[in-house]
């Protein structure tokens, strides 16, 4: 049995709801899972007709619209490997991802049509219409998809080297993902309507909007554009989702938006938070405004889903919950001295987070070749600092490597710092992620100028350089002038001191503005 046949036997009556921005004109389109499966058979026939090879990599640049689940299932049926990428990423980033994923074909959305484009030549090899496919129905001959133990899709994760890692997952992993969170933690069923702030190309959004609805028979609300707090607040009231999946920075702003709209009469029974550490005050504010428990969890691309999660039936507040079924989790002594001293001293037994799961591939591809992800016993070091609380739940304190959170997105500090240094305008620079009073994380860069340029003029030049060479979410929100960057004797950046110094400078700056 292949993946599509497995899914079709489980849930054909759930729905995907494709809705336009609430401030724009447009219609909401609703398709049952059965209709999506039929459309996928149609698109799979198109792919096969173009001579697609087994295991050939096809990048999905469709946005969070109905064509996305259709295209993913079509790739599965045609035995292609779906490559999940951000369609709004910079051209330089996309080219790096294409090379890592060995992408030969692109599926793009253009003028209500899905186009199969040759990556290298840019030639459109075929066009396909969802509307027409639904009118005509599925083809009479169905393809036989790849076995469940074959590579199904590829996602990207960043490492401390500043380069992306291409991580492959198999078809058999999807049911494990649903069992560990959708079933075990959230008890999802056919009556659930899921709304995710995280988009489909993220591991978090992929499970929230694709895996869980299919295996539970529930429904999912899709939107091609990024979800803004005001629109999330409106969607909660007008579309009645039962589970909201979000990140702390968005949750804080959503709670404010709900408050401005005079509260909510939502049908939410759970709010899931992941992507970065959830501040206690944000958790409390969100529960108060939205009237549903916040269930924090932590996951990673290498695992493909959550590692630990809080459950409706068993929640440990201010933690990421207990290990998910099928996941082994350990907190070991810190990897190095810098990791140890970056932990808050009020906590005891702080260490590095290690996980083991059947869904973690042994290797991943980088620009420097394949790298080993796990040790000889199958354990992966996630790069997080953590401890166990008295209830046996995991408390994550932050990153022990050079990955930082920017509004719920994990970014490479090394990569951004390298870009800033390449401007030729600075002697040194270092990044930190700061959590504001609204609970939103943002990037701050300490900058040691290399020129006598006035600071105001220098920031204009640096911001222009960053906009040209970095993705939007990688651009530092604040640039702060500094005399030096805190480093160890060996030259390693002391991230905890960078954050501390940045916080002091921001307070001084605010105090000066207030006067």
């Amino acid at each position: 049995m292949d993946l599509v046949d497995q899914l079709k036997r489980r849930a054909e009556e759930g729905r995907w709801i494709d809705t336009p921005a609430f401030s724009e004109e447009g219609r909401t389109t609703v398709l049952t899972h059965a209709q999506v499966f039929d459309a996928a058979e149609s698109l799979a026939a198109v792919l096969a007709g173009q001579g697609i090879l087994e295991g050939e990599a096809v990048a999905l640049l469709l946005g969070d619209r109905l064509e996305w689940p259709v295209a993913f299932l079509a790739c599965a049926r045609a035995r292609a490997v779906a490559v999940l990428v951000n369609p709004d990423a910079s051209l330089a980033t996309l080219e790096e991802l294409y090379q890592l994923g060995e992408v030969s074909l692109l599926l793009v959305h253009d003028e209500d049509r899905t186009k199969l484009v040759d990556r290298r030549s840019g030639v459109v090899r075929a066009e396909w219409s969802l509307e027409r496919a639904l009118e005509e129905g599925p083809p009479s001959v169905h393809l036989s998809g790849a076995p469940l133990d074959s590579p199904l899709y590829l996602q990207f994760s960043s490492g401390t080297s500043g380069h992306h890692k291409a991580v492959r997952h198999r078809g058999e992993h999807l049911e494990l993902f649903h069992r560990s969170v959708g079933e075990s933690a959230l008890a999802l069923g056919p009556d659930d309507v899921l709304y995710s702030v995280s988009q489909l190309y993220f591991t978090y959004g992929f499970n929230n909007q694709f895996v869980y609805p299919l295996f539970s028979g529930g429904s999912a609300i899709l939107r091609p554009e990024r979800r803004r707090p005001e629109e999330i607040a409106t969607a909660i009231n007008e579309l009645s989702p039962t589970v909201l999946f979000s990140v702390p920075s968005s949750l804080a702003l959503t709670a404010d938006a709900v408050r401005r709209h005079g509260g909510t009469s939502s049908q939410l029974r759970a709010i899931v938070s992941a992507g970065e550490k959830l501040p206690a005050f944000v958790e409390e504010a969100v529960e108060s405004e939205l009237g549903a428990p916040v269930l924090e969890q932590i996951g990673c691309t290498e695992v493909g889903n959550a590692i630990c999660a809080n459950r409706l039936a068993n929640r440990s507040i201010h933690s990421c919950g207990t290990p998910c079924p099928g996941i082994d989790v350990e907190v070991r002594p810190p990897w190095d001295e810098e990791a140890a001293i970056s932990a808050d001293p009020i906590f005891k037994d702080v260490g590095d987070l290690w996980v083991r799961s059947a869904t973690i591939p042994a290797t991943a591809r980088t620009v420097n070749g394949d790298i080993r992800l796990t040790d000889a016993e199958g354990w992966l070091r996630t790069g997080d600092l953590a401890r166990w609380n008295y209830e046996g739940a995991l408390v994550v304190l932050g990153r022990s490597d050079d990955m930082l959170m920017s509004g719920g997105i994990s970014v490479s500090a090394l990569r951004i710092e390298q870009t800033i240094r390449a401007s030729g305008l600075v002697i040194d620079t270092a990044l930190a992620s700061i959590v504001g009073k609204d609970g939103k994380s943002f990037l701050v860069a300490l900058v040691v100028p290399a020129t006598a340029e006035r600071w105001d003029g220098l920031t204009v030049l640096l911001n222009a350089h960053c906009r040209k060479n970095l993705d939007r979410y990688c651009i530092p929100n604040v640039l702060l002038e500094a005399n030096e960057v805190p480093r160890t004797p060996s030259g390693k950046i002391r991230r905890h001191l960078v954050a501390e110094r940045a916080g002091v400078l921001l307070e001084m700056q605010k105090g000066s503005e207030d006067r």
Side-chain angles (χ1 to χ4, degrees):
M1 180 187 298
D2 67 18
L3 175 70
V4 178
D5 284 335
Q6 179 196 45
L7 291 172
K8 288 178 72 172
R9 291 187 180 189
R10 292 190 62 114
E12 292 204 350
E13 296 306 318
R15 301 170 298 153
W16 269 294
I17 306 165
D18 190 346
T19 178
F22 293 99
S23 59
E24 303 171 359
E25 293 185 1
R27 70 181 190 275
T28 295
T29 305
V30 180
L31 294 184
T32 65
H33 291 178
Q35 289 175 302
V36 168
F37 286 127
D38 286 346
E41 299 284 4
S42 169
L43 181 56
V46 172
L47 297 178
Q50 290 298 312
I52 197 165
L53 303 174
E54 183 170 350
E56 191 166 3
V58 181
L60 306 188
L61 294 97
L62 300 165
D64 286 18
R65 46 175 51 90
L66 292 170
E67 284 84 353
W68 198 101
V70 170
F72 187 96
L73 293 167
C75 286
R77 193 61 119 177
R79 299 197 173 203
V81 174
V83 180
L84 314 191
V85 297
N86 176 6
D88 298 321
S90 67
L91 293 177
T93 297
L94 286 173
E95 188 57 33
E96 180 184 338
L97 301 185
Y98 295 157
Q99 291 180 14
L100 283 181
E102 298 182 325
V103 171
S104 57
L105 297 169
L106 315 176
L107 280 172
V108 301
H109 183 80
D110 184 30
E111 298 180 348
D112 293 327
R113 300 186 71 81
T114 296
K115 297 181 179 180
L116 181 67
V117 180
D118 184 273
R119 174 205 154 196
R120 296 192 180 279
S121 68
V123 172
V124 177
R125 290 177 46 175
E127 294 189 13
W128 176 87
S129 165
L130 175 60
E131 184 175 358
R132 184 174 179 181
L134 293 172
E135 290 175 353
E136 295 178 349
S140 57
V141 178
H142 297 298
L143 302 173
S144 177
L148 288 172
D149 59 357
S150 298
L152 175 69
Y153 68 99
L154 185 150
Q155 286 182 307
F156 298 95
S157 172
S158 293
T160 56
S161 66
H163 295 292
H164 291 95
K165 292 182 293 186
V167 180
R168 291 181 181 269
H169 286 290
R170 302 191 300 271
E172 61 192 354
H173 292 173
L174 301 194
E175 186 169 11
L176 298 177
F177 296 158
H178 174 66
R179 287 179 180 175
S180 65
V181 176
E183 184 178 286
S184 173
L186 302 175
L188 297 176
D191 294 331
D192 279 303
V193 179
L194 312 182
Y195 188 57
S196 175
V197 172
S198 181
Q199 294 173 284
L200 281 161
Y201 61 88
F202 287 113
T203 296
Y204 187 37
F206 173 73
N207 285 294
N208 302 342
Q209 299 184 109
F210 182 72
V211 177
Y212 303 155
L214 280 177
F215 280 91
S216 68
S219 303
I221 300 167
L222 300 180
R223 267 217 57 209
E225 296 81 15
R226 291 172 62 86
R227 288 71 161 164
R228 297 179 177 86
E230 292 290 336
E231 293 168 352
I232 297 170
T234 302
I236 289 172
N237 283 323
E238 296 189 3
L239 299 177
S240 300
T242 59
V243 182
L244 171 66
F245 297 87
S246 190
V247 296
S249 54
S250 179
L251 280 175
L253 297 175
T254 299
D256 288 339
V258 168
R259 188 182 305 110
R260 289 194 299 272
H261 284 274
T264 179
S265 56
S266 76
Q267 304 298 310
L268 287 174
R269 64 184 187 86
I271 300 164
V272 180
S273 177
E276 61 184 324
K277 183 174 172 57
L278 176 67
F281 70 90
V282 172
E283 182 175 347
E284 293 162 3
V286 170
E287 290 191 357
S288 174
E289 290 297 333
L290 300 184
V294 176
L295 307 177
E296 189 178 2
Q297 62 180 223
I298 181 174
C300 68
T301 302
E302 291 82 0
V303 172
N305 196 17
I307 296 165
C308 290
N310 278 287
R311 296 157 173 75
L312 280 168
N314 181 23
R315 180 169 68 130
S316 179
I317 62 171
H318 309 325
S319 83
C320 294
T322 53
C324 295
I327 308 285
D328 296 321
V329 182
E330 290 184 358
V331 175
R332 301 180 183 177
W335 182 264
D336 58 25
E337 183 181 356
E338 284 303 303
I341 62 176
S342 68
D344 193 320
I346 67 171
F347 293 125
K348 298 179 180 180
D349 304 319
V350 173
D352 283 327
L353 182 61
W354 290 76
V355 300
R356 183 169 61 183
S357 167
T359 65
I360 303 175
T363 63
R365 180 171 299 155
T366 73
V367 292
N368 297 316
D370 287 355
I371 61 170
R372 181 86 187 178
L373 292 178
T374 59
D375 64 16
E377 297 180 342
W379 288 91
L380 167 78
R381 176 177 175 264
T382 71
D384 297 286
L385 282 170
R387 67 178 179 89
W388 299 107
N389 69 10
Y390 68 96
E391 294 178 308
L394 189 74
V395 177
V396 175
L397 309 177
R399 299 290 291 178
S400 59
D401 54 20
D402 289 308
M403 297 304 298
L404 301 177
M405 300 309 302
S406 174
I409 300 175
S410 181
V411 301
S412 167
L414 289 179
R415 188 172 193 152
I416 298 169
E417 288 160 353
Q418 289 165 1
T419 300
I420 294 175
R421 292 192 191 99
S423 70
L425 299 169
V426 307
I427 296 173
D428 203 0
T429 187
L431 258 71
S433 178
I434 304 293
V435 178
K437 293 183 178 179
D438 60 357
K440 183 177 181 179
S441 61
F442 60 96
L443 296 178
V444 176
L446 293 185
V447 174
V448 182
T451 70
E453 178 81 28
R454 284 175 55 89
W455 178 246
D456 289 347
L458 182 61
T459 57
V460 170
L461 294 174
L462 284 175
N463 279 322
H465 176 78
C466 289
R467 285 195 296 271
K468 182 179 178 181
N469 295 283
L470 293 170
D471 291 317
R472 176 185 51 77
Y473 54 83
C474 293
I475 299 173
N477 301 82
V478 181
L479 299 174
L480 296 171
E481 187 176 15
N483 295 322
E484 64 177 3
V485 167
R487 292 180 178 275
T488 65
S490 63
K492 183 176 179 181
I493 293 175
R494 307 182 87 170
R495 295 278 173 209
H496 64 296
L497 294 183
V498 174
E500 180 181 303
R501 189 166 301 178
V504 171
L505 291 173
L506 285 171
E507 285 298 320
M508 291 173 59
Q509 190 179 82
K510 183 177 182 300
S512 177
E513 292 171 352
D514 290 342
R515 288 194 297 272

